[in-house]
Amino acid sequence: MGPLPALCKKVVELVGILKDADPSKKDSVVLLLLDMLEVVTRDMMVHEIRELVELGNSNKESGRQLFNGTDAKPAIVYPPAVTAQWEEQIRRLHLLLTVKESAFDVPTNLEARRRIAFFSNSLFMDMPRAPTVRKMLSFSVLTPYYSEETVYSKADLEMDNEDGISIIYYLQKIFPDEWNNFMERLNCKKESEVWENDENILQLRHWVSLRGQTLCRTVRGMMYYRRALKLQAFLDMADEKEILEGYKAITIPSEEEKKSQRSLSAQLEAMADMKFTYVATCQNYGNQKRSGDRRATDILNLMVNHPSLRVAYIDEVEETESVKAKKVYYSVLVKAVDNLDQEIYRIKLPGPAKLGEGKPENQNHAVVFTRGEALQAIDMNQDNYLEEAFKMRNLLEEFNEDHGVRPPSILGVREHIFTGSVSSLAWFMSNQETSFVTIGQRVLARPLKIRFHYGHPDVFDRIFHITRGGMSKASRNVNLSEDIFAGFNSILRRGNVTHHEYIQVGKGRDVGLNQISLFEAKVACGNGEQTLSRDIYRLGHRFDFFRMLSCYFTTIGFYVSSLMIVLTVYSFLYGRLYLSLSGLEESIAKFAAARGNDPLRAAMGTQSLVQLGLLMALPMVMEIGLERGFRTALGDFIIMQLQLASVFFTFSLGTKAHYFGRTILHGGAKYRATGRGFVVRHEKFAENYRMYSRSHFVKGLELTILLICYQIYGKTAKDATTYLLITISIWFLVVSYLFAPFLFNPSGFEWQKIVDDWDDWSKWISSGGGIGVPAAKSWESWWDEEQEHLLHTGFLGRLWEIILSLRFFIYQYGIVYQLNLTKAIKTGEERSIIVYGLSWLVIFAVMIILKIVSMGRKKFSADFQLMFRLLKLFLFIGAVVALVLMFVFLELTVGDIFQALLAFLPTGWAIVQISQACRPLMSGLGMWGSCKALARGYEYLMGFVIFAPVAILAWFPFVSEFQTRLLFNQAFSRGLQIQRILAGGKKHK
């Protein structure tokens, strides 16, 4: 047996004797202590602790037992003085040493295992030595809050969503072991017993809230700092007697000790208050109080439950000045006293605080209420852990450590994403964010030295930042991503941003595709504004060459690359199509074949192998490999691909490219609320269409038309295999753009939901707009919202929109000369003018017919239905006669009709786009209504083309089952009842 197992065996025997406290076993205690000393001195530390070795040898020579002294004061006190604290501690120690269950099963909760594993590993990382609490730097935590959930109400828990799923039912299935523990704590056998008691209902509300992304969870997590500081201060200040009494005896003082300002408990409270301050800046708390909002009561309850919590808000007061009422604004700080909020400070503001972006303004007005040398910025969707709070003293010491030429001004902190529990999308997002906030930030901080402020667990040097412009820039639109501008500001003012991985803070992320897309759209718009900002300009001028390149590729360069990937696909296809339609491709191929020029032939058959999402998973693989081993990383990577991770990342690429490009052209970035709900629910087709029509569907359909045209007119791709090899990656992009919202939509291929979705979409697209009609209720309102960026853009923005739309006219120009119909027209120099002119004549004729129908519907459809029907009949007969004449006299074929549709449909869309860019002109000419009618027709057509394949697949039941398994594989692997959840399982009282 080795020395360590032998020592452990002796310790277990000693603890067992101490637990029983049998006075007759004093000699056994002495012998065990001697044996332990011998193992330590003889086998483990013989060279390191010479004094102990000499002490043991001297006692052996004298024949005197070391722990059995004969002096007046005994060498050991046995049996020990048994108190409640001692008995609890010795029994707990004996349990920890003697439990024989498998380490794999202790604890059974996966989150507990993860936390214990990270905490244990972090103790072996390099971190500064922690000072005493009295000597540590004092710090504050600041959390901005607007109107999110604080604590879920009873009605929220019971309310079913459209799928018939309540929050409480959902959480019971996601956290079954925690639910069982909760029921055990309440001494309830059935769920119905919980709802019978008001106290139990309150406990249930908090249990649910602490598993969501609520203010209650954030406050509970941040208050662990105070709890940790009190315990650490106790260990610093307590004497031996107080330590033996136990920490619980100090933290629950008697009435006499409460009155005594010199008691240890009072000193611990004072020490914690001196070193830690928590301010939740609840911007609308004053308005919520006046309106009787439930959230105000919940915030007050939080202050009552956490007496050291402070709430800052903006108070709007009507004051009379010179007989004239005037609205005055104050920054107010309150605390809880006797279950009511009591005002501490009131600072008059020069005007309304919300001039710029809401969140940074909310932070800025409350910074004055923070205290200490450091300031940690914490978002509303974050959490903290007690074991991590113990390491805050070590982290704050980093401000005094050597980090290069400049001392640190921002300490970067690792995040743990806690929302990857159920769907594959949540898992993808969790892994992506984890790799970004760990291995990504580590490399940015060292060696690249270009880490800025990302997210909100970072710790600021408070004095540095409040004397250099504050911690939040808040210019509207420009500082949409206010986080990173704090890092820009810090670096430009000779600061230094570091990153530390031995401490982590929890963070929630979005779990549904629409939420994720809104978040990525917000970040992409923010990066577009960064590209146009003076901060990036100044950084680029002041960095050395290598930091400048690193800064580019790790900030705006990533989004520029995403945009260039999409533009490369367009350039490749349009270039191929131009070569085919102009005849150059065929000529070059014949020339290369005649000359035997193999390199030229190979160049003409170049494949479009463009990275479309696969490489975005590689940082996740590296992070998982470093954390849990590369075998696990390889397995997770394979599972991700089977769950169509590449489709998701390709789709996300389109989101980034669209919103980044639009912000560069037109500006107008705006905050997009993503929501932080629990249940992953089915999104209606109309909602998906509204969200992805311009960013994905239009682009996917355009690429589809280009690919079809290249198949028809391409000369290099002589067979299907060659064509597939050339275009396979672009077809993958098209499928991802058009169908990812349905692949990753719960119950996206369930037939009944598909029928309901079509009815909802038809009702939405046919509804008229108007003042006060939201975009979710009317196509016209949504269509106007989609053009908001054009209302405020400049001349160059409108010009670029027109120039980009001209590509459809060039495309039309090339296709009309491939029609068989054109062979019947006189050849010669005038051919090009005649053919192209006739193509536009057809377009104008179709538009005139549509205009006549539209005007007839307005004038005759209500009172003269017969006239309207006759008008449509005459137009239909005229169109049929014209087609027959063209078939007979101009050699028109069915193929020509299909090719004409391929040519003219994009042209009509170009007319719509140009009309939107020239909206003031079109309105002045009275043609805006016709443009709107044409646009509505295209929306009908696009919606049908996208919806049809989804409906066909939904007809087969196995497709829905396959999609559910694909989307919720992580849940299936954990044994969750996803089928019951998606089917609308209800709780039973």
Side-chain angles (χ1 to χ4, degrees):
M1 183 182 293
L4 192 59
L7 178 63
C8 182
K9 182 180 178 181
K10 299 294 181 183
V11 171
V12 171
E13 292 180 20
L14 177 62
V15 173
I17 294 173
L18 293 177
K19 182 172 68 72
D20 297 334
D22 187 353
S24 63
K25 293 186 177 182
K26 181 175 181 180
D27 293 338
S28 299
V29 172
V30 173
L31 292 174
L32 284 171
L33 290 173
L34 287 171
D35 291 342
M36 291 164 60
L37 177 63
E38 186 174 359
V39 171
V40 172
T41 56
R42 184 189 63 190
D43 301 327
M44 299 178 67
M45 299 183 177
V46 63
H47 299 295
E48 288 81 354
I49 309 179
R50 295 184 178 276
E51 294 82 359
L52 286 176
V53 177
E54 294 172 358
L55 180 62
N57 292 335
S58 63
N59 282 284
K60 284 182 180 179
E61 294 171 359
S62 62
R64 176 174 172 267
Q65 286 188 341
L66 180 61
F67 298 102
N68 195 17
T70 56
D71 300 333
K73 184 178 180 181
I76 61 172
V77 178
Y78 186 87
V82 178
T83 62
Q85 291 78 19
W86 164 264
E87 189 173 0
E88 179 186 357
Q89 292 170 5
I90 201 68
R91 286 185 182 278
R92 182 177 296 179
L93 178 59
H94 186 265
L95 177 66
L96 292 174
L97 292 173
T98 57
V99 66
K100 298 300 182 184
E101 293 184 38
S102 170
F104 184 77
D105 296 326
V106 181
T108 56
N109 186 272
L110 298 177
E111 176 66 7
R113 290 188 210 173
R114 183 199 64 78
R115 285 172 56 176
I116 292 172
F118 178 81
F119 181 74
S120 303
N121 291 332
S122 69
L123 298 180
F124 295 92
M125 299 181 188
D126 291 334
M127 67 176 80
R129 188 175 182 84
T132 62
V133 175
R134 189 180 298 275
K135 293 182 180 179
M136 70 175 285
L137 296 177
S138 56
F139 71 104
S140 297
V141 174
L142 186 66
T143 297
Y145 167 89
Y146 184 65
S147 60
E148 297 88 349
E149 282 294 342
T150 305
V151 177
Y152 286 105
S153 67
K154 180 184 176 183
D156 293 333
L157 305 188
E158 295 181 297
M159 183 175 61
D160 295 338
N161 71 348
E162 60 183 13
D163 294 328
I165 309 166
S166 63
I167 291 177
I168 186 65
Y169 178 82
Y170 178 82
L171 290 179
Q172 288 171 358
K173 302 308 173 188
I174 300 302
F175 305 108
D177 54 338
E178 296 180 28
W179 173 253
N180 292 334
N181 294 340
F182 173 72
M183 295 286 287
E184 185 179 341
R185 287 198 300 272
L186 295 184
N187 293 320
C188 295
K189 301 297 183 183
K190 300 179 181 178
E191 182 186 346
S192 57
E193 298 178 15
V194 178
W195 301 90
E196 296 172 356
N197 188 328
D198 289 341
E199 180 62 29
N200 288 349
I201 292 175
L202 180 61
Q203 295 289 336
L204 178 63
R205 291 175 57 201
H206 281 91
W207 184 85
V208 172
S209 301
L210 293 176
R211 278 147 190 83
Q213 299 180 47
T214 59
L215 182 64
C216 172
R217 180 175 189 165
T218 307
V219 170
R220 189 277 306 263
M222 294 306 115
M223 279 303 170
Y224 281 140
Y225 283 133
R226 193 172 189 277
R227 185 173 166 185
L229 288 176
K230 286 181 63 177
L231 176 56
Q232 290 169 327
F234 167 74
L235 297 175
D236 290 340
M237 301 165 59
D239 55 26
E240 183 178 353
K241 178 183 176 183
E242 290 166 332
I243 290 178
L244 287 175
E245 289 179 355
Y247 178 61
K248 275 189 177 179
I250 304 301
T251 54
I252 309 176
S254 62
E255 292 298 326
E256 295 181 1
E257 290 178 329
K258 287 182 180 179
K259 296 176 183 178
S260 173
Q261 296 299 317
R262 294 184 177 274
S263 66
L264 181 58
S265 61
Q267 294 181 49
L268 297 181
E269 293 282 344
M271 184 64 67
D273 288 336
M274 286 173 57
K275 297 299 180 180
F276 171 69
T277 305
Y278 186 25
V279 178
T281 168
C282 305
Q283 181 176 327
N284 285 335
Y285 178 65
N287 295 333
Q288 290 170 341
K289 277 200 308 181
R290 282 190 286 270
S291 63
D293 194 325
R294 172 179 59 84
R295 292 181 178 85
T297 305
D298 293 335
I299 293 171
L300 177 59
N301 290 336
L302 282 179
M303 288 192 285
V304 173
N305 295 332
H306 304 280
S308 58
L309 173 65
R310 302 292 181 262
V311 170
Y313 66 94
I314 298 172
D315 195 21
E316 302 177 7
V317 182
E318 290 280 353
E319 293 186 358
T320 304
E321 185 177 324
S322 303
V323 199
K324 184 179 180 182
K326 182 181 179 183
K327 185 171 284 189
V328 182
Y329 299 87
Y330 292 91
S331 281
V332 183
L333 185 72
V334 296
K335 66 177 180 180
V337 176
D338 297 330
N339 295 334
L340 296 173
D341 55 351
Q342 178 178 321
E343 189 174 302
I344 306 173
Y345 297 113
R346 175 176 288 263
I347 302 173
K348 188 174 182 179
L349 300 174
K354 193 176 176 181
L355 295 176
E357 292 295 337
K359 180 179 170 185
E361 293 285 26
N362 196 7
Q363 291 180 150
N364 283 336
H365 94 92
V367 168
V368 67
F369 300 126
T370 59
R371 297 289 181 267
E373 292 93 341
L375 176 60
Q376 186 174 30
I378 293 292
D379 255 352
M380 230 293 297
N381 58 340
Q382 297 201 234
D383 193 9
N384 199 15
Y385 314 109
L386 179 61
E387 68 274 10
E388 301 303 313
F390 287 130
K391 292 178 281 190
M392 193 62 182
R393 292 186 301 172
N394 306 77
L395 180 67
L396 294 175
E397 278 300 295
E398 295 285 356
F399 283 118
N400 300 322
E401 295 290 309
D402 182 12
H403 291 280
V405 178
R406 298 170 185 171
S409 53
I410 299 178
L411 304 178
V413 178
R414 172 186 170 126
E415 291 176 333
H416 164 67
I417 312 301
F418 56 74
T419 50
S421 58
V422 182
S423 69
S424 59
L425 287 181
W427 188 45
F428 298 157
M429 196 66 178
S430 175
N431 285 336
Q432 183 185 37
E433 286 293 315
T434 299
S435 63
F436 175 73
V437 299
T438 53
I439 190 172
Q441 301 303 309
R442 186 188 313 154
V443 173
L444 294 184
R446 187 177 180 186
L448 298 183
K449 284 292 182 183
I450 43 87
R451 185 189 188 275
F452 302 110
H453 173 47
Y454 301 92
H456 272 82
D458 292 357
V459 181
F460 288 74
D461 183 335
R462 180 173 170 274
I463 307 302
F464 178 96
H465 284 88
I466 64 174
T467 56
R468 290 167 176 82
M471 62 175 289
S472 296
K473 285 193 172 183
S475 298
R476 190 174 292 277
N477 295 341
V478 178
N479 298 131
L480 181 66
S481 302
E482 93 287 346
D483 306 350
I484 199 168
F485 281 95
F488 290 162
N489 188 49
S490 182
I491 296 298
L492 285 169
R493 296 175 184 270
R494 303 181 67 81
N496 183 14
V497 184
T498 62
H499 181 67
H500 310 281
E501 296 218 24
Y502 53 80
I503 185 171
Q504 68 177 3
V505 175
K507 189 172 184 72
R509 277 296 182 207
D510 311 297
V511 296
L513 182 64
N514 288 11
Q515 294 175 324
I516 293 171
S517 297
L518 283 171
F519 170 75
E520 291 187 338
K522 179 179 70 174
V523 175
C525 289
N527 272 269
E529 295 293 350
Q530 289 173 39
T531 308
L532 306 175
S533 70
R534 64 186 71 182
D535 300 74
I536 283 287
Y537 173 82
R538 290 168 176 166
L539 285 170
H541 273 257
R542 286 160 179 77
F543 273 154
D544 57 74
F545 179 74
F546 299 103
R547 289 182 78 190
M548 178 183 67
L549 291 184
S550 300
C551 174
Y552 168 76
F553 279 104
T554 54
T555 51
I556 61 172
F558 173 74
Y559 288 86
V560 172
S561 300
S562 300
L563 180 60
M564 291 187 68
I565 288 173
V566 177
L567 291 178
T568 301
V569 173
Y570 275 84
S571 302
F572 176 83
L573 270 184
Y574 271 103
R576 281 280 188 178
L577 201 57
Y578 167 76
L579 290 175
S580 300
L581 294 175
S582 64
L584 283 174
E585 187 178 49
E586 185 177 13
S587 301
I588 294 172
K590 289 180 179 179
F591 176 81
R595 295 295 183 92
N597 193 336
D598 293 334
L600 181 57
R601 293 168 64 184
M604 292 303 296
T606 303
Q607 300 174 17
S608 59
L609 295 178
V610 183
Q611 185 270 316
L612 296 175
L614 188 65
L615 293 180
M616 296 184 70
L618 292 185
M620 296 188 289
V621 174
M622 290 300 298
E623 176 58 30
I624 296 171
L626 292 173
E627 294 275 343
R628 294 184 286 150
F630 284 95
R631 181 183 299 177
T632 303
L634 180 61
D636 285 355
F637 179 75
I638 294 173
I639 292 173
M640 274 190 245
Q641 299 312 310
L642 294 176
Q643 292 185 263
L644 305 182
S646 293
V647 173
F648 167 72
F649 289 120
T650 302
F651 186 82
S652 298
L653 183 79
T655 304
K656 297 181 178 74
H658 172 77
Y659 287 99
F660 179 76
R662 196 169 78 174
T663 305
I664 292 294
L665 278 180
H666 308 291
K670 63 179 181 180
Y671 179 81
R672 288 173 167 83
T674 59
R676 298 189 175 109
F678 269 114
V679 180
V680 181
R681 63 186 178 90
H682 174 80
E683 296 289 348
K684 293 184 179 295
F685 176 74
E687 178 63 28
N688 284 329
Y689 188 86
R690 285 191 293 270
M691 183 165 291
Y692 305 118
S693 174
R694 296 300 180 265
S695 59
H696 294 85
F697 294 161
V698 169
K699 294 179 175 60
L701 290 173
E702 179 184 353
L703 292 175
T704 301
I705 292 175
L706 293 176
L707 288 167
I708 293 173
C709 290
Y710 183 65
Q711 166 67 11
I712 295 172
Y713 304 115
K715 305 301 180 182
T716 303
K718 297 179 180 179
D719 54 25
T721 304
T722 306
Y723 171 78
L724 189 63
L725 289 173
I726 292 176
T727 61
I728 185 170
S729 63
I730 304 180
W731 273 115
F732 181 78
L733 181 142
V734 167
V735 172
S736 300
Y737 272 22
L738 295 181
F739 301 110
F742 311 105
L743 285 171
F744 296 114
N745 187 16
S747 303
F749 294 94
E750 187 177 328
W751 178 251
Q752 187 55 49
K753 290 187 182 293
I754 290 294
V755 173
D756 295 339
D757 286 357
W758 178 255
D759 293 339
D760 177 72
W761 184 77
S762 301
K763 181 180 178 181
W764 168 75
I765 200 170
S766 59
S767 298
I771 299 175
V773 179
K777 299 295 183 181
S778 166
W779 171 83
E780 289 187 14
S781 300
W782 169 80
W783 194 61
D784 289 334
E785 276 190 10
E786 282 296 315
Q787 301 169 50
E788 280 184 357
H789 62 282
L790 294 174
L791 297 178
H792 309 290
T793 189
F795 173 76
L796 285 178
R798 296 181 186 274
L799 180 63
W800 272 109
E801 279 290 321
I802 296 172
I803 292 173
L804 290 174
S805 299
L806 293 178
R807 69 185 186 272
F808 295 110
F809 296 157
I810 301 172
Y811 159 84
Q812 171 211 348
Y813 178 81
I815 288 184
V816 292
Y817 287 104
Q818 307 298 322
L819 303 178
N820 292 328
L821 176 67
T822 60
K823 298 175 183 178
I825 301 176
K826 181 182 177 181
T827 59
E829 293 295 330
E830 70 278 9
R831 177 184 174 190
S832 60
I833 300 174
I834 294 174
V835 172
Y836 195 57
L838 285 176
S839 68
W840 276 102
L841 185 62
V842 172
I843 292 173
F844 286 135
V846 172
M847 294 183 69
I848 290 171
I849 291 173
L850 291 175
K851 183 66 176 178
I852 291 173
V853 172
S854 176
M855 293 176 65
R857 179 179 289 110
K858 290 180 179 178
K859 291 188 177 182
F860 304 124
S861 61
D863 301 323
F864 304 97
Q865 293 189 13
L866 180 60
M867 290 286 295
F868 181 57
R869 291 176 186 273
L870 289 174
L871 174 65
K872 290 196 292 185
L873 177 63
F874 291 144
L875 290 174
F876 176 73
I877 293 173
V880 171
V881 169
L883 280 175
V884 170
L885 292 175
M886 293 172 70
F887 270 109
V888 173
F889 296 106
L890 297 179
E891 300 180 8
L892 182 70
T893 64
V894 176
D896 283 347
I897 296 176
F898 178 72
Q899 294 176 61
L901 287 175
L902 290 178
F904 297 149
L905 284 175
T907 303
W909 183 251
I911 293 172
V912 172
Q913 296 297 302
I914 294 173
S915 300
Q916 291 176 2
C918 304
R919 181 170 181 173
L921 177 62
M922 299 297 291
S923 299
L925 296 174
M927 299 179 65
W928 184 244
S930 301
C931 175
K932 184 181 292 186
L934 182 61
R936 191 193 294 268
Y938 270 94
E939 302 288 357
Y940 268 113
L941 181 61
M942 288 191 294
F944 178 78
V945 170
I946 295 168
F947 187 83
V950 178
I952 292 171
L953 289 174
W955 182 261
F956 302 99
F958 66 87
V959 176
S960 179
E961 295 180 8
F962 173 76
Q963 187 231 8
T964 302
R965 184 65 186 236
L966 184 80
L967 187 58
F968 294 100
N969 180 68
Q970 295 300 309
F972 276 113
S973 65
R974 294 174 57 192
L976 302 184
Q977 303 175 26
I978 291 299
Q979 292 290 1
R980 288 187 61 192
I981 290 178
L982 294 180
K986 298 182 183 290
K987 61 183 181 58
H988 302 284
K989 291 187 179 180

